[in-house]
Amino acid sequence: MRDTLTIKKVTDSLQDEEVKAYLRFVLTQIGMLKAQEGPLEVVVAELIELYDKLMGLQEKKAMWDPVPACTHVHIVVGDSFAGSMKQALKGLGWIETHKLITLRENYAIGPLGDLDSSKGRKVRSDWFRDNITEAFESCTEFEEEYNELLDKLKQIPEQAEVIIWTSGNACEQMGMRHALHLLHGKRNVFAVYDTSVICKELYNRLDAFRYSGEIPTDKLQEALIRMDGSGKLCTADITQLEREWQEISEQSGTLRIWRDNVVLTVSADYYDQYLLEKLDELKASVDDNGFLHSARLIGVAIAYCEQYIGDSYFEYRLRELIYDGILEIKGIPTAMRFYSIKRKRRTESELSVCIDEPSS
């Protein structure tokens, strides 16, 4: 079970080209086994060597955990942003004194209530397992990751300044609030910096970044240099943000957006009409039978959406539209790349029912 969690962390941290390279190597070795080319022991030994190398990557990441001598601890939301932050800190030569903690949750989706208890965490884990196709991890693995996060937060030394990074989206805004909630009672100096605001000021961009993971490393380095103490929080600020975490997380909804500097909980079907409108706009891309590849629709939906939600939520809503009889499917909905969709054509009997129904 422990290896499964480590393998997931390792593969999630790899870049696309690295994944392709390792996959080519594994397939080549398997091909040699199948063709019985070369000694079996040699091929197996090379596969084990690759396994040890990749698993060792996870151990090397411990260098980013808080240590007694560190002066700053950066808390970020998401693996993509964490990768960029590591590169930026390395480039500035700060890795000995600046450490990193990653919140790996997508706080924009799923239930957030009572995460301080194993029962609340199970509710969240079960929701992802039931609705998000890529969420294959068990409740046990979710629990292990959460406990690892708590351990890292406990390791933060008292003299280190804690810098929590956020941006203009519900995911990072709720992540920042959750971090402060989990750090309740610690005496450190806390600061919050908004990457989208900093980069907008630096580069005079009219369109702020939706998510910090979109920011290139060189721009992130300049944002780090720009830390001037303006983000430091007073006790009243921290109390208010912790209160907001409690109030929003206790709401029963499973989708959140960022609007007018406030996290709002909206209905689960909030983007359903938006997805249908994008589907209608893409009619020129459909095949002879009128079907559109679901990945194509989701890609366009993400590109034009002002919010950072994540492709997995849009894919979940497509499946709900299929279950509700609004969309027709060709393929198997195990992942977005495996099926296509189109508007379901109503039968004559269905149309007659609609005509006969009294207007409200």
Side-chain angles (χ1 to χ4, degrees):
M1 184 65 69
R2 191 71 178 180
D3 276 359
T4 302
L5 179 59
T6 305
I7 289 170
K8 182 180 185 301
K9 289 181 178 180
V10 169
T11 53
D12 285 348
S13 67
L14 294 175
Q15 301 296 318
D16 289 345
E17 289 305 314
E18 291 178 309
V19 172
K20 292 177 182 178
Y22 290 134
L23 180 58
R24 283 193 293 268
F25 175 80
V26 171
L27 292 177
T28 300
Q29 298 302 104
I30 294 174
M32 292 175 64
L33 284 175
K34 187 175 180 180
Q36 296 183 346
E37 296 179 2
L40 176 63
E41 295 81 3
V42 174
V43 176
V44 172
E46 290 180 346
L47 287 171
I48 292 176
E49 182 180 351
L50 175 62
Y51 173 87
D52 290 339
K53 175 184 176 182
L54 291 176
M55 297 296 273
L57 291 177
Q58 187 62 32
E59 295 178 2
K60 290 179 181 178
K61 289 181 182 178
M63 67 180 290
W64 291 106
D65 292 350
V67 294
C70 67
T71 59
H72 297 75
V73 174
H74 300 264
I75 298 179
V76 302
V77 180
D79 289 318
S80 177
F81 185 29
S84 299
M85 181 62 76
K86 288 176 183 177
Q87 292 301 317
L89 292 172
K90 281 182 181 178
L92 292 171
W94 293 359
I95 61 174
E96 294 300 324
T97 53
H98 289 244
K99 301 303 178 179
L100 183 69
I101 295 177
T102 307
L103 304 182
R104 306 183 72 231
E105 290 292 315
N106 182 351
Y107 290 91
I109 65 175
L112 292 174
D114 203 18
L115 288 187
D116 292 331
S117 72
S118 57
K119 181 180 178 181
R121 295 191 291 272
K122 184 178 185 303
V123 170
R124 180 167 173 81
S125 176
D126 288 348
W127 184 88
F128 273 85
R129 183 196 62 204
D130 294 340
N131 297 288
I132 305 299
T133 55
E134 65 185 34
F136 59 86
E137 62 203 279
S138 67
C139 183
T140 302
E141 291 169 337
F142 184 89
E143 192 73 7
E144 287 181 356
E145 283 197 358
Y146 194 86
N147 288 330
E148 284 185 12
L149 170 63
L150 294 182
D151 287 341
K152 290 179 180 179
L153 294 174
K154 288 179 182 178
Q155 293 172 29
I156 299 175
E158 190 171 311
Q159 84 282 351
E161 180 178 349
V162 178
I163 300 167
I164 308 173
W165 293 89
T166 189
S167 190
N169 60 75
C171 176
E172 291 181 89
Q173 289 290 334
M174 286 302 289
M176 176 265 289
R177 287 162 173 78
H178 190 211
L180 288 170
H181 169 77
L182 293 175
L183 290 165
H184 179 79
K186 292 190 78 71
R187 300 179 181 180
N188 303 73
V189 172
F190 294 101
V192 170
Y193 288 97
D194 188 316
T195 56
S196 61
V197 171
I198 293 174
C199 289
K200 187 174 182 179
E201 293 173 354
L202 280 172
Y203 306 105
N204 197 27
R205 282 186 55 149
L206 295 178
D207 56 326
F209 292 101
R210 291 177 299 179
Y211 167 57
S212 298
E214 299 174 351
I215 302 173
T217 299
D218 58 336
K219 289 181 171 56
L220 186 55
Q221 284 181 338
E222 293 191 42
L224 283 163
I225 295 171
R226 282 284 293 268
M227 292 188 304
D228 55 4
S230 60
K232 288 184 179 179
L233 301 177
C234 65
T235 302
D237 294 331
I238 296 171
T239 300
Q240 176 61 30
L241 290 167
E242 287 184 80
R243 185 183 298 117
E244 289 176 8
W245 162 260
Q246 205 65 44
E247 292 173 353
I248 299 170
S249 65
E250 287 175 354
Q251 297 172 12
S252 59
T254 55
L255 177 63
R256 296 157 208 94
I257 62 172
W258 177 248
R259 179 179 294 165
D260 298 329
N261 296 322
V262 175
V263 176
L264 298 177
T265 301
V266 296
S267 62
D269 62 357
Y270 183 83
Y271 283 107
D272 287 9
Q273 188 58 41
Y274 170 74
L275 287 169
L276 292 173
E277 290 172 359
K278 291 303 175 189
L279 176 61
D280 292 340
E281 292 173 7
L282 290 169
K283 284 183 178 178
S285 302
V286 300
D287 62 21
D288 294 337
N289 295 316
F291 284 95
L292 176 73
H293 203 284
S294 62
R296 166 70 173 151
L297 173 58
I298 292 170
V300 170
I302 291 173
Y304 287 94
C305 185
E306 294 182 355
Q307 302 284 332
Y308 171 75
I309 302 299
D311 56 0
S312 60
Y313 191 84
F314 283 134
E315 200 271 329
Y316 153 58
R317 293 313 306 174
L318 277 189
R319 282 183 281 111
E320 290 298 309
L321 289 169
I322 293 168
Y323 300 151
D324 291 342
I326 298 172
L327 295 180
E328 189 175 340
I329 184 174
K330 181 175 71 174
I332 304 173
T334 54
M336 68 181 76
R337 63 185 181 278
F338 293 132
Y339 66 97
S340 300
I341 41 86
K342 70 176 180 180
R343 288 261 198 173
K344 187 174 182 179
R345 183 177 301 173
R346 291 181 174 180
T347 63
E348 291 184 6
S349 59
E350 289 174 326
L351 290 171
S352 64
V353 169
C354 292
I355 294 173
D356 295 336
E357 287 179 348
S359 59
S360 56

